[in-house]
Amino acid sequence: MSEYMIYTDSACDIAPELLKEWDVKSQCLTFHFEGEDREYAENEMPAADFYTRMRAGQVAKTAAINVETFRTAFEVELKEGRDVLYLGFSSGLSNTSNAGQLAANELAELYPERKILVVDTLCASAGQGLLVYLTVQKRNEGASIEEAAAYARELVPHLCHWFTVDDLMFLKRGGRVSPAVALIGTMLNIKPVLHVDDEGHLIKVSQARGRKASLKAIVEQYDALALTPNAGTVFICHGDCMDDAQRLASMVREKHGVEVKLITYTGTVIGAHSGPGTLALFFLGKHR
């Protein structure tokens, strides 16, 4: 069995030190604040500092990873005799996964003896991170690169992303809600409940009055969809609102006896569009 390296990108919102522990390599998307010349790699600014700047009114713009960056990174593995399995950020939200595929296509011609497989996860944030984690477990059980890729693809339509945001104005900036809806929703303390659909797009599903109700609505989706409601692996991410993240974890634990496997920050690239106060629950379900 040929050795292979699992790659992902920073949109998975898994801390670099944890990816290293999993033996996964990653490339970073980038962002910059309007009015500044500097471009940051996603891991160059602590998430808490990033959200402090957003709360102060600064606007962040993000950029996908380009083909050359992937080509350079993947080629290092190929030259050292390792194949590559790349699990990429949803093509419904970014061109990053497509860039990884283009790099793989170019390298396949130069290294015909090696394998470079790309899986468009159609996932984002710690949903993508959960898919990476589960694929790592499969690899560690002895799966070949083809078996690991097939397993990841099987998981994609079952990877549930359910989340809410605290401030509709950030979704307005990204074109997810209209200015009028954002204004009225803010005045009425309306919190949208959203998910990532089968095509990897961000979709608004419902709305709740107040933060507590929005957390309850997310747990209700877990109730309805979870494949193994009493034993499934669950991740949570948050936009600098750890107390709410822990409250959501307690709600899942109290109702289903499930301990959340990981609570992590919503990273700067995802957070640039969802804003401070984003809170999300990720799990395997009957469908998305």
Side-chain angles (χ1 to χ4, degrees):
M1 183 186 301
S2 177
E3 181 184 359
Y4 62 97
M5 176 59 66
I6 293 179
Y7 252 90
T8 190
D9 53 65
S10 61
C12 71
D13 288 347
I14 301 298
E17 58 270 21
L18 192 51
L19 288 176
K20 184 176 180 180
E21 182 180 316
W22 295 353
D23 194 22
V24 171
K25 292 187 179 180
S26 177
Q27 292 297 310
C28 281
L29 285 84
T30 60
F31 70 94
H32 73 277
F33 286 104
E34 287 186 349
E36 289 187 8
D37 293 332
R38 178 176 176 181
E39 186 172 49
Y40 297 86
E42 181 152 14
N43 59 10
E44 287 185 319
M45 179 179 292
D49 294 348
F50 174 82
Y51 286 114
T52 295
R53 294 182 68 168
M54 288 196 78
R55 288 188 177 102
Q58 296 191 47
V59 177
K61 301 291 184 179
T62 63
I65 301 168
N66 61 41
V67 175
E68 184 57 34
T69 297
F70 278 124
R71 177 190 165 98
T72 300
F74 293 167
E75 192 167 24
V76 170
E77 307 301 325
L78 303 179
K79 285 181 175 179
E80 295 183 358
R82 288 184 293 273
D83 297 330
V84 174
L85 172 57
Y86 168 54
L87 306 175
F89 183 20
S90 172
S91 61
L93 296 169
S94 171
N95 194 45
T96 297
S97 183
N98 293 331
Q101 184 65 70
L102 289 172
N105 294 345
E106 292 179 10
L107 290 167
E109 297 182 5
L110 297 174
Y111 298 87
E113 75 284 2
R114 299 257 60 88
K115 298 168 185 174
I116 315 142
L117 304 184
V118 175
V119 176
D120 177 359
T121 68
L122 300 176
C123 295
S125 191
Q128 179 182 342
L130 177 53
L131 190 141
V132 170
Y133 170 78
L134 294 171
T135 304
V136 165
Q137 307 314 303
K138 192 71 172 179
R139 178 199 64 191
N140 293 348
E141 292 170 4
S144 68
I145 187 171
E146 293 90 352
E147 290 168 339
Y151 177 69
R153 292 189 179 102
E154 288 173 4
L155 294 179
V156 167
H158 299 283
L159 209 307
C160 297
H161 305 56
W162 287 93
F163 68 102
T164 187
V165 300
D166 198 40
D167 189 338
L168 283 163
M169 292 303 175
F170 294 101
L171 291 181
K172 175 186 76 69
R173 290 177 187 170
R176 300 297 177 183
V177 299
S178 69
V181 167
L183 179 60
I184 293 171
T186 299
M187 292 172 61
L188 297 178
N189 195 28
I190 296 297
K191 309 299 182 184
V193 177
L194 308 98
H195 84 131
V196 174
D197 69 8
D198 288 336
E199 286 74 45
H201 299 111
L202 179 62
I203 302 295
K204 181 182 175 184
V205 176
S206 63
Q207 57 190 30
R209 181 69 66 85
R211 186 69 156 180
K212 183 177 180 180
S214 69
L215 300 193
K216 182 180 178 182
I218 290 174
V219 175
E220 287 172 352
Q221 293 296 334
Y222 183 84
D223 299 344
L225 294 173
L227 279 175
T228 52
N230 296 316
T233 304
V234 178
F235 283 7
I236 287 174
C237 73
H238 67 95
D240 201 33
C241 53
M242 177 59 86
D243 288 347
D244 282 345
Q246 292 175 336
R247 187 174 298 113
L248 180 59
S250 294
M251 291 169 71
V252 173
R253 180 175 61 251
E254 290 167 5
K255 192 161 189 181
H256 295 288
V258 174
E259 290 294 340
V260 171
K261 180 74 173 180
L262 177 69
I263 297 177
T264 184
Y265 262 99
T266 305
T268 54
V269 166
I270 303 297
H273 301 281
S274 58
T278 300
L279 190 61
L281 184 71
F282 307 97
F283 57 93
L284 288 179
K286 302 164 192 172
H287 56 78
R288 285 202 172 189

